[in-house]
Amino acid sequence: MKLVTLHIYHFGGLKDCKISFEDKGLQILYGENEAGKTTLMDFIKCMFYGFPTKSQNHRRYEPKDGNRMGGKITIHHQVHGTWTIERVARSTVTGDLRIYDESGQQKEEAFLLQLLDGMEQSLYTGAFCFGLDGLQKLDKLSSEELGNFLLSTAISGDRDLLDIEQSFEKKQALLFKKAGKKPIINERLEQLSSSAKSLQLLKEKNESYQALTNEKDSHEKDLEVIKQKLTEIQTELLSNKRLLELKPVLQRYKQLDVEIRSFDSESYSFPENGLQQYEELRKELSRLKSDLTYDNSRIGDAEAELGSIINNENIIRYETEIKRLFNLLPEYEHRFNQIHELQRHIHSLRKEERGLFDEIGEAWSEKELMELSLSLSSLHFLEDLIRQNEQIQDKKSRLEDELEDSRVKLERLETEEAKQKKNLLSEEEYAKYQHSNHKETRKMPFYTTLLPILSSLLLLWSGWVSNHTPVMLGGVLLLITALVLSFLYLKRNQSGDEMPKHVHQRLLEDEVHRKQWLELSLQLSNENNIYVQLAKRLDYLEVEEASVWDHAKRWASDQGYSGKLDRLFVSGYMKRVLQLKELLRQRNDAENKVQDIEFKQSSYEKKASSLSLALGIELQEDTKSWINFCYAELEKQLKNQSRAEHIQQNKKELLERKNELQKKISFINIQIRSLWAAAKVSNEADFYVKGKNNERFGKLKEERESLYNQFISLGFSNDEIVVMAEKVTVNYETTLHYISNLEEQVQEKQKGYDEKIEAKGKLDWELAKLLEDGSYSENLHRYEILKEEWNTLVKKWASLRLAQHALSKVKEDYQKTKLPAVLETSSVYFSKITESEYQSITFTDNNELMVVNGDGLGFYPHELSRGTAEQVYLSIRLAVAYHAGPRDFPILMDDIAVNFDGVRTKRTLQLIQETAFDRQVLFFTCHQHIASTVPAVPVIHWPHQSVIAEM
């Protein structure tokens, strides 16, 4: 099984987290402390085996933000394919499970065990998902317990087996010990014996019970009266003590009331928010005066700047003419460049003309070239003639070669045919040999006469065997016929003459020669036909060639071509002639264009000269520089003109603003005098004094109103507030004396109440003493219950004893069968980690774990260092994972090398990398140097910032 991807919806402090895993091999998952590495390991376990219930001693990882914990994990099984396991905490405690593949097909929960290859949760958490939990418990065990701990790890992959065995022993000890008193079964035995004795003492304790009950009722009535009086006094005392707690507040309330009454009626004649309004007016007045000073300064600067500007009206008068010439200046420069470019182009065209004349080898005059009239259809017609001529020449060359080859072949075949004909027999010899051969071929071989005789004998035998008379008669007739025919055949052959062998041989040779002669004759006839056909085709081509030349002559006459006729059929000749004509046309166009441009340049320079006379500025040799100078002067004068207009406008605006500021200042002064009048003062100092007094008066009233509202909220009325304020201020000593009297009354009443309670308690004790053993029926019922509990506990102790015995048998069987293989593999792993410093892990005769070094010395676990003991634990875990579970099941480790040195850490990671050849191994760590120890291993940085939920 392989982990492909996982998606955490919400789980503990993680949310919306996605991870993809490599197909196999060691993968390091790096994250800082509290990044959620252990949470991620537990998430994978919960996806496989469900969320822990609340009764289990495991963390449930319920999100703090109220979301449901859940997620999904995608795995790939080598048999079942790719499946997704999704689990969300909804209706069930362990989570609602959904298993589906890539096509959406779903399976029941029982299918999950098949995907996990039957992996139980105990084996998974023991051998395939482990961290520092087991390692950190090593130092808490004694030396003997440490050996047993590692033995349990080798058997089950975790401390579960050791914990179970110890749990059995503890539970048995809690139930029963032979000489014990505290175990439950021992206690129940003592209780049974004492319960039997107490049944005899119950009849002697009922005489004084009624008198004690009457006395108890009297005490309870007295207690009710005392308690009611005590409550009234305590309520009054509490009320007066609350006055003392409220003393500072009440004193402040009284003080505020006195201060408020001390203010005269004139303090109330002040504008509302007068000080605030006055401060705002003063700030606004200060700002307006500052703006007025600034505007006066700017007006003076504007007048000075206007006096410094000098204008040239003559240049501005000819603004349009200067701008027109300046705008045409780029075109003027462009025409200069055009003239230079055209002259270079004309020179290049002349050079190309000379090159084309050299290529065609003929001198064409300009007149002849211009008179040559070639339309598009005429050029196509000439191209067709050239193509036809080339095809005719090509066919003619091939036919001449074929005709020569045919002639040579024809001569050779004629020679061979005449030579072969000489080898043939003459007509008379051939007829004679043919007659003799005919007679010889008519003779039949002797074995043909034996076939009818054998067939007749077979029929006779069949009839005799089957006792069938007609078959036997048929066989006799066939035998007689065969004998007669055989006699006639032998007689005929004896009368004939045998043909000589040399005659037959000569006839065969002649047949071969005759066939060869016939073949050569046929080839000669065919080749002669081919030669005649080739000659005819060559004649036709010569006729076609003459026709093409006639068409070429007519084309030259029609188009005005005066050159040699054979040059028309030269490939590219006419193309060069047309190029010459085109070059001549381009050169004439360029020369005409140069003349037009020179005329425009002359016209532009005449306009510049006229402008120079009008401005009185001497025209320079460089027209371009002179135009630029005039335009720059124009721009300067236009800027001066615009600047002067802008300054005039600013000055006008500043004057208008100055008038507005003066009006606002006058208005604010009027408002300030209005505030003085409303406050009945004549200057600023008196206004400020009266404003401060008014603010204090308002604050005192506000504070007293706040305290008054607080008292009202506590349930006091206005009159009660006044009375309480008098008690803690004017009558404070009287209040203290009254509180002291109330405290003395409370102590006196409380003492009487306590005495009554003590007397009632003694009566309750005496009554309880009489009833503490209960009735006879209650004690009998208690005795039967104790007896039933004792029987149940004995059965439970027996089942624990039996389970412990079975567990011991399992351990013995494991040590005899699976333990040697686990120890052998773990020894190899431990030797690799320690670089052969330790050779093996074994058990002594006393069943104690021991490691043996290279010198043969043995060490018990408590004699090893913490890091080495943890390396023994890791080796045994990896060995158990190798032998106990599926070979491709993923292994998860959480910082198991935290106590290893650098060298052994590297060897440990190399060992894990070897074991991860065909399985996934996820190594969770918070140490960044681990990744650099094995650089070829992929590193997953965990988590991203987006996956941590708010805690």
Side-chain angles (χ1 to χ4, degrees), residues 426-610:
S426 62
E427 294 294 332
E428 295 80 5
E429 290 177 336
Y430 180 73
K432 179 180 177 182
Y433 288 146
Q434 188 70 22
H435 178 69
S436 299
N437 185 44
H438 179 68
K439 291 194 297 179
E440 185 66 24
T441 55
R442 290 177 59 189
K443 292 183 179 180
M444 296 178 65
F446 176 71
Y447 65 84
T448 56
T449 62
L450 297 177
L451 293 175
I453 298 173
L454 294 174
S455 299
S456 63
L457 293 174
L458 182 60
L459 286 173
L460 287 172
W461 181 77
S462 299
W464 179 74
V465 170
S466 62
N467 199 14
H468 197 276
T469 304
V471 174
M472 292 180 65
L473 291 176
V476 171
L477 291 174
L478 182 59
L479 179 61
I480 294 171
T481 304
L483 291 173
V484 172
L485 291 174
S486 298
F487 174 76
L488 294 175
Y489 175 77
L490 291 173
K491 185 178 180 181
R492 180 182 176 185
N493 284 343
Q494 289 177 0
S495 62
D497 297 330
E498 186 176 356
M499 185 180 66
K501 288 185 178 181
H502 71 279
V503 174
H504 182 67
Q505 182 67 28
R506 183 72 179 98
L507 189 60
L508 291 176
E509 290 177 356
D510 185 70
E511 257 184 62
V512 172
H513 292 155
R514 192 170 294 278
K515 286 181 180 179
Q516 292 176 353
W517 174 74
L518 289 174
E519 290 177 359
L520 288 173
S521 298
L522 183 60
Q523 291 179 10
L524 181 62
S525 176
N526 290 336
E527 192 62 33
N528 187 50
N529 292 334
I530 291 171
Y531 183 81
V532 172
Q533 292 295 328
L534 290 173
K536 288 181 179 179
R537 288 171 62 188
L538 187 60
D539 293 340
Y540 292 152
L541 282 176
E542 289 177 351
V543 172
E544 290 181 10
E545 183 180 10
S547 175
V548 168
W549 278 84
D550 290 341
H551 284 95
K553 288 178 182 178
R554 285 197 296 274
W555 183 89
S557 175
D558 294 341
Q559 307 303 325
Y561 174 75
S562 59
K564 295 180 180 180
L565 190 62
D566 58 344
R567 288 187 175 273
L568 285 176
F569 296 103
V570 176
S571 178
Y573 173 77
M574 189 53 63
K575 182 179 180 181
R576 296 293 186 275
V577 173
L578 291 176
Q579 288 178 353
L580 271 174
K581 184 178 179 181
E582 178 63 20
L583 289 175
L584 178 62
R585 184 190 63 77
Q586 292 179 10
R587 180 164 59 84
N588 291 334
D589 292 344
E591 290 173 349
N592 293 333
K593 197 170 184 180
V594 167
Q595 292 177 359
D596 293 340
I597 292 172
E598 287 177 347
F599 175 76
K600 292 179 180 179
Q601 294 294 83
S602 174
S603 175
Y604 183 84
E605 290 173 354
K606 288 180 180 178
K607 291 179 180 179
S609 177
S610 301

Side-chain angles (χ1 to χ4, degrees), residues 217-228:
D217 293 340
S218 177
H219 282 300
E220 287 179 349
K221 291 179 180 179
D222 294 340
L223 283 171
E224 287 294 329
V225 174
I226 295 173
K227 186 175 181 180
Q228 183 178 1

Side-chain angles (χ1 to χ4, degrees), residues 30 63 196 222 237 262 304 331 350 410 415 459 661 783 814 822 847 892 898 921 939:
Y30 168 73
D222 294 340
L237 177 63
S262 66
E331 186 179 350
R350 291 184 183 277
L410 188 62
T415 303
L459 286 173
L661 290 173
Y783 175 80
Y814 181 87
V822 172
N847 201 27
L892 282 68
V898 69
V921 176
V939 178

Side-chain angles (χ1 to χ4, degrees), residues 171-172 175 791-801:
K171 289 180 180 179
Q172 291 180 63
L175 290 174
N791 289 330
T792 303
L793 292 170
V794 168
K795 291 179 182 178
K796 186 176 181 181
W797 180 85
S799 63
L800 290 172
R801 188 71 175 176

Side-chain angles (χ1 to χ4, degrees), residues 109-138:
E109 186 173 357
F111 183 68
L112 178 58
L113 194 59
Q114 299 180 29
L115 293 177
L116 300 178
D117 294 317
M119 176 75 65
E120 296 292 339
Q121 185 175 359
S122 60
L123 180 58
Y124 174 79
T125 56
F128 292 88
C129 181
F130 54 91
L132 286 177
D133 293 342
L135 302 180
Q136 292 173 351
K137 296 174 184 177
L138 293 176

